[in-house]
Amino acid sequence: DLCHTLKKAENHAWLGDPMELALVRMAENSGRMWQEPQRFDEVPFDADRKRMSILNRSHHGAVLYTKGALLTVLPLCTHLSTAQGVLPLSPEACEGLKDAELELARQGLRVLALATRGVAEGERREHLEQGLTLLGLVGLEDPPRPEVAPAIQTCREAGIKVIIVTVDHPHTALANAREIG
């Protein structure tokens, strides 16, 4: 995963968001050649965009890596990376991706779409997140902390109505809500 905001500690351990740590560990354990990013720009995550992008340098030139909610990444994609190579993104493939996202979300997983593309020298920043190739979806388990269920019970006993506010898929939120009662 070359799309993260982690930092390296003096002991070379990654520091930062647990979700990003999980993605980097997955990439490091994939058995594929993996190198530390040579980041030179970033379009940061925010709750409205529900995605982030990082520009990295490689020996092939600048490469943009994007991760975020499928809802916001898929409309930016024109191609799909498959076992047969990179193919135009068809309406059938889009539906299949949405179905896969829904199935992962129903399992209570946080679902992220991963995409990339090469970037030409001098390309305008507002055009970076266009014409992406979707690499795939990742489902991450993000269980509620142990103290959440008792805290919610305490709120209910006090007459407080509890409402979940999340940027996750609604089915992910529903599965997590069921898990904590």
Side-chain angles (χ1 to χ4, degrees):
D1 176 35
L2 297 174
C3 186
H4 63 78
T5 58
L6 300 175
K7 304 291 182 213
K8 282 268 186 144
E10 286 183 26
N11 66 357
H12 301 287
W14 289 107
L15 300 173
D17 181 85
M19 180 197 61
E20 290 190 337
L21 285 168
L23 289 170
V24 167
R25 286 188 187 118
M26 180 186 73
E28 289 174 336
N29 294 329
S30 71
R32 299 182 68 191
M33 183 62 88
W34 192 84
Q35 57 183 308
E36 290 188 35
Q38 296 176 335
R39 172 185 322 200
F40 69 94
D41 200 359
E42 139 179 13
V43 182
F45 176 87
D46 71 49
D48 293 330
R49 290 171 18 88
K50 296 183 181 178
R51 68 178 180 272
M52 71 174 293
S53 294
I54 301 289
L55 268 167
N56 289 294
R57 294 192 201 288
S58 78
H59 60 281
H60 298 295
V63 181
L64 181 82
Y65 296 96
T66 300
K67 75 175 174 202
L70 182 64
L71 170 75
T72 66
V73 174
L74 190 58
L76 306 173
C77 295
T78 56
H79 290 80
L80 176 65
S81 181
T82 72
Q84 292 76 39
V86 175
L87 303 174
L89 186 58
S90 68
E92 296 80 19
C94 288
E95 288 307 310
L97 289 160
K98 291 174 187 175
D99 290 345
E101 176 195 35
L102 184 58
E103 179 57 34
L104 292 169
R106 284 183 175 148
Q107 296 172 39
L109 300 177
R110 174 176 287 170
V111 182
L112 294 176
L114 307 175
T116 189
R117 80 171 180 88
V119 175
E121 186 73 31
E123 197 166 330
R124 295 180 57 125
R125 185 178 180 86
E126 59 268 17
H127 300 290
L128 289 176
E129 295 177 321
Q130 296 176 0
L132 301 176
T133 296
L134 188 73
L135 299 173
L137 302 178
V138 176
L140 298 157
E141 186 176 12
D142 188 14
R145 294 181 180 165
E147 65 270 16
V148 172
I152 289 175
Q153 185 59 37
T154 301
C155 289
R156 284 188 178 147
E157 290 168 1
I160 299 170
K161 181 179 179 182
V162 178
I163 298 172
I164 295 176
V165 178
T166 180
V167 295
D168 285 335
H169 190 284
H171 287 286
T172 302
L174 180 59
N176 287 329
R178 285 184 176 138
E179 184 179 339
I180 59 177

